[in-house]
Amino acid sequence: GQNIDQPTEMTATEGAIVQINCTYQTSGFNGLFWYQQHAGEAPTFLSYNVLDGLEEKGRFSSFLSRSKGYSYLLLKELQMKDSASYLCAVRDLGGGATNKLIFGTGTLLAVQP
Amino acid sequence: GAVVSQHPSWVICKSGTSVKIECRSLDFQATTMFWYRQFPKQSLMLMATSNEGSKATYEQGVEKDKFLINHASLTLSTLTVTSAHPEDSSFYICSARGAESDFGPGTRLTVT
């Protein structure tokens, strides 16, 4: 089966650092994505990892370990506007499907003053 | 700017009626588009893969006769929710071009 797990909710303080974890078990793997989604809006792309290691983009970084089926999104210098849901998604090529994205349950992050 | 558009952005319809949602790729040709559904406080669930010029591929549990998908051109896919019921009220989102970074803005459907 396919399974992507994230914590349901997290709380952090403005200016701090927060790490959102994602573990996955999928029949195929061709990349892992992180998205930010504000209430009532579509997801916006944050990062993409296909090889092991850390990808950094400004205040956001994402890490991938394929052998462990694990990724995390690191948000630095948190701002109030970072309060949103963060979705982990795996591109799964299992079963002949092309570019299917399987989404995790999402993590609702609340940034407090 | 946005590369995938959806229309309408929101729609309210009565139970039993049909609603059509359009997904357009704005500056590229998309042989494949994806339709997702998101219920409140839940994540995105892939409903179907829309293939230009051929039948859509539906995910397990999604009724193909209820959610009609047409991908007649390289820039347009449509999702028609037939005989809509209140439980179909949801946020419908499309994406294109492998499309990991190209989601449409979504369509909020409310069935009364």
Side-chain angles (χ1 to χ4, degrees):
Chain A
Q2 306 195 85
N3 198 36
I4 301 176
D5 288 321
Q6 303 177 235
T8 304
E9 296 181 354
M10 298 183 71
T11 302
T13 304
E14 191 175 16
I17 299 173
V18 70
Q19 177 174 311
I20 303 174
N21 295 325
C22 172
T23 57
Y24 64 90
Q25 288 180 308
T26 56
S27 54
F29 179 85
N30 193 24
L32 186 143
F33 301 81
W34 284 96
Y35 295 88
Q36 180 190 64
Q37 186 179 28
H38 285 101
E41 299 179 9
T44 55
F45 171 77
L46 290 179
S47 69
Y48 167 65
N49 295 71
V50 66
L51 300 176
D52 291 350
L54 188 68
E55 294 285 338
E56 297 185 81
K57 188 186 295 184
R59 295 191 298 116
F60 296 83
S61 303
S62 57
F63 172 84
L64 174 67
S65 169
R66 289 171 295 171
S67 62
K68 296 182 179 179
Y70 168 70
S71 173
Y72 68 72
L73 179 70
L74 194 70
L75 292 77
K76 305 175 185 175
E77 302 170 13
L78 280 172
Q79 303 175 9
M80 299 298 292
K81 66 178 183 179
D82 296 329
S83 294
S85 286
Y86 290 86
L87 309 176
C88 169
V90 172
R91 185 164 58 189
D92 184 356
L93 296 181
T98 57
N99 294 330
K100 283 175 59 172
L101 276 183
I102 310 299
F103 280 84
T105 50
T107 299
L108 182 61
L109 174 67
V111 179
Q112 298 178 338
Chain B
V3 295
V4 179
S5 70
Q6 279 184 246
H7 178 80
S9 56
W10 61 269
V11 57
I12 301 173
C13 71
K14 292 187 176 181
S15 185
T17 61
S18 296
V19 174
K20 180 185 286 187
I21 303 170
E22 295 184 348
C23 178
R24 292 183 183 275
S25 56
L26 298 180
D27 58 0
F28 62 95
Q29 295 181 332
T31 55
T32 305
M33 293 185 177
F34 303 86
W35 287 97
Y36 296 85
R37 178 169 55 182
Q38 185 177 33
F39 292 107
K41 298 188 178 181
Q42 295 186 24
S43 193
L44 275 71
M45 295 296 293
L46 179 66
M47 298 176 66
T49 302
S50 172
N51 305 298
E52 189 270 335
S54 65
K55 292 182 179 180
T57 304
Y58 289 82
E59 295 299 301
Q60 191 172 9
V62 177
E63 299 175 58
K64 63 180 181 181
D65 294 330
K66 180 171 181 62
F67 299 98
L68 301 179
I69 291 174
N70 184 287
H71 194 154
S73 78
L74 288 170
T75 59
L76 174 64
S77 174
T78 60
L79 169 68
T80 301
V81 183
T82 63
S83 187
H85 292 286
E87 56 265 33
D88 297 323
S89 298
S90 187
F91 192 43
Y92 292 85
I93 308 172
C94 70
S95 69
R97 192 175 56 182
E100 299 82 12
S101 59
D102 298 328
F103 281 92
T107 298
R108 174 79 55 194
L109 170 63
T110 302
V111 185
T112 61

